[in-house]
Amino acid sequence: AALLASVCLLTSTAAKADLGPGPNDPYVTKAVTFLLDQRHLLRRPLDDEISKRAFDAYLKSLDPMKVYFYQSDIDEFAKQRLLLDDYTRNGDISFAYLVFNKFLERLDERIKEVPQLIAMEHDFSVEEELVTDPDETTYPTTPTEAKDRWRKRIKYELLNFRDEEVESEEAVDRLNRRYSSYSKRMKQYKTDDILEIYLTSITSSFDPHTTY
């Protein structure tokens, strides 16, 4: 059930550079907190356990395959892992923008290398391992590790195109357009979008059916 059915939709403004909290974000956040306290059937408190779940859910919503962030980014974010409940009660969602802006930075780094990785010669006769289950993999720790993981990812996608009998030139074009479009789409996110993703991470941490 949508928690904000009785709350007016408040529009935030988009930032020109880094995204940051909009003027109405604190009011919307506090309204969600109030509704969670008053209406949630489980009567589950907004506490450190919810904070941990929301932390994990928010990171997963941005980087589900663990291919953008470094482990060092996650370690830095984790210093606030038990504070999200306190922030939310105070209407403070600056953490959401801290993480999202870092995501955009890492997105730029990764996407910048994609055309080169697509164009390089791939040896499909060599057996390599690519872990596609996010629960079984970790975040890369170095630029070299990140780039090699992306090389394998691109190779895997090109191999899938070959299995579908897509011509090499078309496969290359499709991949370049796919990642270019994804980057452009993420950079078009506004504060309303970040607010929705973040608060949904919090509300769904009570149970999967509770959404913003």
Side-chain angles (χ1 to χ4, degrees):
L3 284 173
L4 288 190
S6 60
V7 177
C8 292
L9 181 61
L10 300 172
T11 303
S12 301
T13 58
K16 297 299 182 183
D18 282 355
L19 286 172
N24 292 313
D25 287 3
Y27 305 109
V28 175
T29 303
K30 288 181 179 180
V32 171
T33 303
F34 174 80
L35 291 175
L36 285 169
D37 286 339
Q38 297 297 316
R39 299 186 180 185
H40 200 272
L41 296 178
L42 298 180
R43 287 290 184 262
R44 183 73 169 80
L46 178 57
D47 55 13
D48 286 352
E49 179 58 33
I50 295 299
S51 182
K52 289 189 291 185
R53 295 181 191 176
F55 176 89
D56 293 341
Y58 185 55
L59 291 175
K60 187 174 183 179
S61 70
L62 296 178
D63 188 9
M65 301 304 295
K66 300 179 181 176
V67 294
Y68 291 102
F69 289 124
Y70 287 117
Q71 183 59 51
S72 58
D73 297 327
I74 305 304
D75 293 341
E76 188 64 28
F77 300 150
K79 295 176 182 179
Q80 303 182 63
R81 192 174 185 223
L82 299 181
L83 299 175
L84 305 192
D85 54 323
D86 303 307
Y87 294 159
T88 304
R89 289 192 181 283
N90 292 326
D92 179 2
I93 62 165
S94 56
F95 177 80
Y97 297 99
L98 169 72
V99 174
F100 188 77
N101 287 321
K102 177 60 69 173
F103 169 74
L104 291 182
E105 178 185 335
R106 298 307 184 204
L107 173 66
D108 277 343
E109 294 173 0
R110 305 292 181 259
I111 298 302
K112 182 174 63 177
E113 296 179 330
V114 164
Q116 173 196 352
L117 294 174
I118 293 175
M120 70 182 292
E121 185 174 345
H122 295 275
D123 187 351
F124 295 105
S125 66
V126 176
E127 291 189 10
E128 296 187 281
E129 183 180 64
L130 175 65
V131 180
T132 57
D133 183 349
D135 293 329
E136 297 297 325
T137 191
T138 58
Y139 295 96
T141 59
T142 66
T144 299
E145 182 183 352
K147 185 173 183 177
D148 190 59
R149 186 177 299 185
W150 271 86
R151 178 190 63 79
K152 292 178 180 178
R153 178 186 177 97
I154 295 297
K155 180 180 177 180
Y156 174 76
E157 291 178 311
L158 288 171
L159 186 59
N160 283 338
F161 279 128
R162 286 184 58 170
D163 290 342
E164 296 169 6
E165 299 184 350
V166 176
E167 293 293 332
S168 297
E169 186 175 336
E170 182 182 352
V172 167
D173 183 58
R174 282 193 194 180
L175 274 186
N176 275 311
R177 284 190 286 110
R178 175 185 299 173
Y179 285 109
S180 177
S181 296
Y182 176 71
S183 177
K184 182 179 180 180
R185 186 167 68 252
M186 297 307 294
K187 290 178 181 179
Q188 289 175 339
Y189 272 33
K190 299 180 181 180
T191 55
D192 283 341
D193 301 311
I194 306 308
L195 180 67
E196 179 179 357
I197 295 171
Y198 183 68
L199 291 182
T200 294
S201 297
I202 292 174
T203 58
S204 62
S205 295
F206 284 79
D207 71 77
H209 306 292
T210 304
T211 59
Y212 165 69

